[in-house]
Amino acid sequence: MDKKRIPLELLLLFSVFVIATCGLIYELVAGALASYLLGDSVKQFSFIIGVYLFSMGVGSYFAKFIKGNLIDKFVEIEILVGIVGGISSVVLFILFNTLAHFEAVLYLFVFFTGSLVGVEIPLLMNILKDRVQFKDLVSNVFAFDYIGALLASILFPLVLIPNLGIVKTPLFFGLINISIAIFLCFYLTKELSKPISLKVKSIGAFVFLLGLFIFSDKILSYSEEKLYGENIVYTKSSPYQRIVLTRNNREFRLYLNNNLQFSSTDEYRYHEALVHPAMSMAKNIDNVLILGGGDGFAVREVLKYKEVKKVTLVDLDGEMTQFFKTNETMRKLNQNSLSSSKVQVINKDAYIWVKENKKKFDVIIIDFPDPSNYSLGKLYSLQFYKELERLTTPDTKIVVQTTSPYFAPKSFWCIEKTINQIFPFTSAYHTYVPSFGEWGFSMASFEPVNNKIYRQIPNLRYYDYDFSQISYFNKDMKVKDVEINRLDNQILVRYFDEEWGKVQ
C-alpha cells in the first residue's frame, strides 16, 4: 500500500510543477501575442496578467464543487488545459485579421486557460490531503508551483521563442500537459473510474496537437499571408519581436510586430532623408554611430562617404542584423553594408549601451521604431538624450526619426521639444515616403543649423542637398502645446497611441 502512495504523491507533485510551467507559458504567450498584434506591451501584459490571475481565482473557487473521482477529473482538466492553451496562438493568429472583436476572444482564451489551471492546484491538494500531512502538502505544492513558474519565465525569452516561436511554443507545452494526462491514465488505471474513455480522449488530444505542431508553420504562413495580403518570404520570432518579410512582385516589405518598417520600392527616400542632411552638414564624419537601423540601409547611405572611418551600429535584435547580413536579397538591398570592414555591429539595448559607452562620435543617427510602447518610449525620453549628450563633441550632428508630422503631430513635436531640452539647436524636417506618408526627422547640434554643406554624394535618387525644401512645415503639421517626454510620464507613448489610433 505504501509503495503505491509514494509514487502517486511524487507523480502528482511533479504534475504541479508541469502545471505551473505550462500555465505561465500560456500566459506569456498570450501577452507576447497581444503585444505583437495589438502593440502597447505594457498595457497588454498588464491586462493579460490581471485577467489570468483573476481567472485562476475563479477556477480555484469552483474547484470545491467538483465531486466524484478526483483523479478522473484532474486528468480531464489536464487534457482541456493542453488543448485550450496549446491551440491559443494558432486560433488567435487565424482570427486576428477576420474578427472584429479580436481582443474579446484573446481574453476569453486567457480566462478559460487560467480558470482551468486554477482548478488543478486545489484539486490536486484534495487528492493528496489524505496521503500527505497538511503542512507538508501546502509547502510541497507551492514549492513545485513556484519552481515551475521560475523555469517558464527563464525558458520563454531565452529558449522557447527564439527556437520554437510564438505558435509552436504553446503547442509544445500543450503536448506536455496531455503527456502527463496519458501517463496518469496508464499508470493509475486502477484508480480511475473510466480509464478507457480517458485514454482515448488523451491520446486523441495528443494526436490532434501533434498534427497542429507539425503543420504549424504552414498554418502560420497562411494566416500571415491573409493578414498582410502578400507572399511571406521570411518569418522569425526573436526574443524581442516578430519579424516578417513579404514580397509582392519586386517589392519587399518588412514588418516588425505587425508594423511596416520599410518597402524596398521607396525606402531610399526615407534613408536618404535620414542620413544625408546630417552627414553633409557635419564638419567631421570619421566616426558615425547608428542606433537602431538593423536592416543596414542607414549604414549603406553612410558608407557612401569615403571619409568615414568607422561606423558603429547598435541594434537590440541579433536575429534582425544577422538576417540582413546573410540573406542574399537583403544584402543586395543594403549593398552588403553590414559586412563592411568599417562597420561594427553591436546587439544590445541602445539605452544601456549609451549609458555605458564613453566614446565620442561625429555624427549620431537614431533610427528607432516608433514609440508605440513604453520600452520604445524611453528611447525618446529626456533622460536618454541627456545620456546621449556624453557621446557628442561641440561639432557633433545628431538626427532622429520622429514619426509622422501629419498623422501624429503631437508625437512629432513632443520628440522635437524633448531633444531641444538637451541640444540647444534643433531643426525639424520631413519628407514624403509613399509607403508611410509624410515622415519626419529632427537634426540637433550645439551650433545653429546654417545649411552649410561640407560634402555631397553625387547622383542620390532623392535628396538634392537643399535642406530648406524639406524643413518647411505647413499649418496642418504644426503643434505647439506639447509636453516633454520624460521617463516618469512617457507622455509620448500616449500621444502616439491617441494619434495613430485615429488613423488605424
Side-chain angles (χ1 to χ4, degrees):
M1 194 75 168
D2 289 338
K3 289 183 179 179
K4 285 187 177 180
R5 288 179 181 173
I6 294 173
L8 176 60
E9 293 158 15
L10 292 176
L11 180 59
L12 292 179
L13 285 173
F14 178 72
S15 298
V16 172
F17 172 78
V18 173
I19 290 165
T21 305
C22 294
L24 188 59
I25 290 294
Y26 300 142
E27 180 185 0
L28 292 171
V29 165
L33 190 63
S35 299
Y36 284 175
L37 299 177
L38 302 174
D40 195 348
S41 58
V42 172
K43 183 179 83 173
Q44 298 304 334
F45 268 101
S46 179
F47 285 4
I48 293 291
I49 291 170
V51 171
Y52 188 80
L53 291 176
F54 169 74
S55 62
M56 284 184 68
V58 171
S60 296
Y61 175 79
F62 282 101
K64 66 183 179 181
F65 298 109
I66 297 176
K67 306 297 181 184
N69 188 314
L70 296 184
I71 298 179
D72 277 25
K73 303 299 183 185
F74 176 76
V75 171
E76 288 176 338
I77 292 170
E78 191 75 1
I79 294 170
L80 273 175
V81 171
I83 293 174
V84 175
I87 68 172
S88 57
S89 279
V90 174
V91 173
L92 291 169
F93 256 113
I94 292 172
L95 293 179
F96 177 68
N97 201 39
T98 58
L99 200 65
H101 302 289
F102 171 78
E103 286 187 75
V105 177
L106 168 67
Y107 290 113
L108 189 63
F109 261 101
V110 173
F111 181 83
F112 195 32
T113 305
S115 297
L116 291 171
V117 172
V119 168
E120 287 186 300
I121 299 297
L123 197 59
L124 274 174
M125 293 179 74
N126 278 331
I127 294 170
L128 291 170
K129 67 182 180 181
D130 296 326
R131 305 168 187 266
V132 182
Q133 289 187 4
F134 181 76
K135 64 181 182 68
D136 295 330
L137 172 63
V138 174
S139 61
N140 287 342
V141 166
F142 282 105
F144 277 85
D145 183 43
Y146 295 144
I147 292 170
L150 174 64
L151 180 66
S153 64
I154 294 172
L155 289 178
F156 184 76
L158 300 180
V159 178
L160 298 173
I161 291 299
N163 293 288
L164 290 179
I166 198 71
V167 170
K168 282 187 174 180
T169 292
L171 286 169
F172 177 74
F173 278 86
L175 289 169
I176 292 176
N177 269 129
I178 294 172
S179 296
I180 292 293
I182 292 172
F183 184 78
L184 290 173
C185 285
F186 284 90
Y187 189 75
L188 302 176
T189 298
K190 293 181 180 179
E191 303 212 27
L192 300 173
S193 62
K194 42 184 180 180
I196 296 176
S197 173
L198 289 173
K199 288 176 183 177
V200 171
K201 288 178 182 178
S202 59
I203 293 172
F206 186 89
V207 171
F208 171 67
L209 285 188
L210 183 62
L212 287 179
F213 185 87
I214 293 170
F215 294 103
S216 60
D217 288 338
K218 291 184 178 180
I219 295 170
L220 183 56
S221 294
Y222 169 78
S223 63
E224 287 186 321
E225 284 182 5
K226 293 278 287 183
L227 173 63
Y228 297 112
E230 300 162 358
N231 293 324
I232 307 291
V233 296
Y234 176 82
T235 60
K236 182 74 175 181
S237 291
S238 77
Y240 311 105
Q241 57 200 351
R242 176 71 176 170
I243 305 168
V244 176
L245 185 72
T246 68
R247 180 174 185 173
N248 186 6
N249 296 323
R250 293 185 177 182
E251 180 188 18
F252 291 90
R253 288 183 171 226
L254 178 75
Y255 296 86
L256 299 180
N257 290 350
N258 201 34
N259 296 310
L260 178 65
Q261 299 302 301
F262 73 76
S263 164
S264 60
T265 59
D266 57 21
E267 57 80 15
Y268 69 91
R269 294 176 68 94
Y270 173 92
H271 290 101
E272 287 187 12
L274 172 70
V275 171
H276 294 291
M279 290 294 289
S280 62
M281 295 184 198
K283 291 180 181 178
N284 302 302
I285 58 170
D286 290 354
N287 292 305
V288 178
L289 171 64
I290 300 176
L291 301 176
D295 50 36
F297 294 143
V299 178
R300 176 195 66 199
E301 297 302 316
V302 168
L303 291 176
K304 290 178 180 178
Y305 295 87
K306 303 304 180 185
E307 300 165 60
V308 173
K309 295 178 180 178
K310 178 73 178 291
V311 180
T312 303
L313 172 70
V314 181
D315 190 279
L316 177 65
D317 198 342
E319 296 286 353
M320 179 87 164
T321 54
Q322 185 65 16
F323 174 64
F324 280 89
K325 187 176 182 179
T326 58
N327 180 271
E328 184 177 351
T329 302
M330 295 303 104
R331 287 172 60 191
K332 288 180 181 178
L333 286 176
N334 65 27
Q335 296 177 9
N336 207 21
S337 61
L338 297 182
S339 296
S340 169
S341 59
K342 294 182 178 181
V343 177
Q344 179 186 13
V345 177
I346 300 171
N347 295 122
K348 194 169 184 177
D349 183 291
Y351 198 107
I352 296 172
W353 186 87
V354 167
K355 286 188 71 172
E356 295 175 347
N357 188 67
K358 297 179 181 179
K359 187 178 179 181
K360 306 288 186 179
F361 294 91
D362 300 310
V363 178
I364 299 175
I365 298 166
I366 302 177
D367 190 19
F368 293 137
D370 287 336
S372 57
N373 58 56
Y374 293 107
S375 60
L376 290 170
K378 72 178 182 181
L379 299 173
Y380 294 84
S381 67
L382 183 69
Q383 288 83 346
F384 175 73
Y385 296 127
K386 184 64 179 174
E387 294 289 348
L388 192 70
E389 184 184 18
R390 295 185 300 98
L391 279 57
T392 63
T393 71
D395 295 327
T396 298
K397 285 285 189 289
I398 301 161
V399 62
V400 183
Q401 89 82 9
T402 49
T403 194
S404 172
Y406 179 76
F407 293 113
K410 283 186 177 180
S411 303
F412 178 89
W413 293 108
C414 172
I415 299 171
E416 168 79 6
K417 186 175 182 179
T418 304
I419 296 170
N420 192 229
Q421 303 305 301
I422 304 300
F423 302 101
F425 299 99
T426 59
S427 183
Y429 63 100
H430 61 100
T431 190
Y432 180 72
V433 182
S435 298
F436 297 124
E438 206 67 41
W439 213 258
F441 311 86
S442 181
M443 186 157 52
S445 63
F446 292 101
E447 58 184 22
V449 178
N450 56 18
N451 295 359
K452 182 177 181 180
I453 304 298
Y454 288 94
R455 63 196 65 80
Q456 295 186 32
I457 298 298
N459 303 319
L460 292 178
R461 296 176 66 186
Y462 165 70
Y463 186 57
D464 60 3
Y465 293 95
D466 185 355
F467 189 70
S468 62
Q469 290 291 320
I470 59 176
S471 57
Y472 174 78
F473 287 82
N474 294 103
K475 289 174 64 176
D476 61 351
M477 291 191 286
K478 292 181 179 179
V479 173
K480 293 182 179 179
D481 188 19
V482 291
E483 296 181 42
I484 295 167
N485 186 47
R486 305 176 190 273
L487 274 180
D488 60 348
N489 71 359
Q490 291 268 26
I491 187 66
L492 174 60
V493 177
R494 282 177 275 163
Y495 286 152
F496 186 87
D497 187 54
E498 171 193 326
E499 292 178 311
W500 281 104
K502 293 178 182 177
V503 175
Q504 296 167 354

